[in-house]
Amino acid sequence: MQKKSDPDYYDRLINENEAASYLCYSVRALQNWRVRGGGPMFIKVSGRSVRYTRRDLQDWIDQRRVANTSAAPH
């Protein structure tokens, strides 16, 4: 198990199960975003294998911060 204190924690590749857990979303949601767009950046390792970095996931989260309900995400 990797810890936040590891220097590679945010840049190491993780699979879609770990990414879904990090985001508190389902794997199916990640799969839909990959097809339709709008989700976090991902790395296509092979035809059927994708990986994420926690840094890309965190960037995606940060881009969606809003101050109120009428504000649009960045």
Side-chain angles (χ1 to χ4, degrees):
M1 174 127 181
Q2 205 177 19
K3 297 181 180 167
K4 288 184 183 182
S5 60
D6 290 344
D8 295 334
Y9 178 79
Y10 286 101
D11 294 316
R12 187 161 296 167
L13 299 179
I14 60 173
N15 64 33
E16 68 180 352
N17 290 321
E18 293 170 293
S21 177
Y22 186 88
L23 294 174
C24 300
Y25 274 95
S26 68
V27 169
R28 192 59 156 162
L30 288 175
Q31 293 168 345
N32 285 332
W33 287 328
R34 287 197 304 265
V35 172
R36 296 185 178 120
M41 298 293 289
F42 63 93
I43 296 122
K44 192 165 186 175
V45 178
S46 66
R48 297 182 69 167
S49 181
V50 297
R51 297 290 183 268
Y52 295 86
T53 65
R54 288 180 186 92
R55 185 171 311 282
D56 286 338
L57 299 176
Q58 193 59 51
D59 288 346
W60 183 78
I61 292 167
D62 291 342
Q63 292 170 1
R64 276 150 186 75
R65 288 182 184 261
V66 293
N68 58 58
T69 58
S70 61
H74 305 299

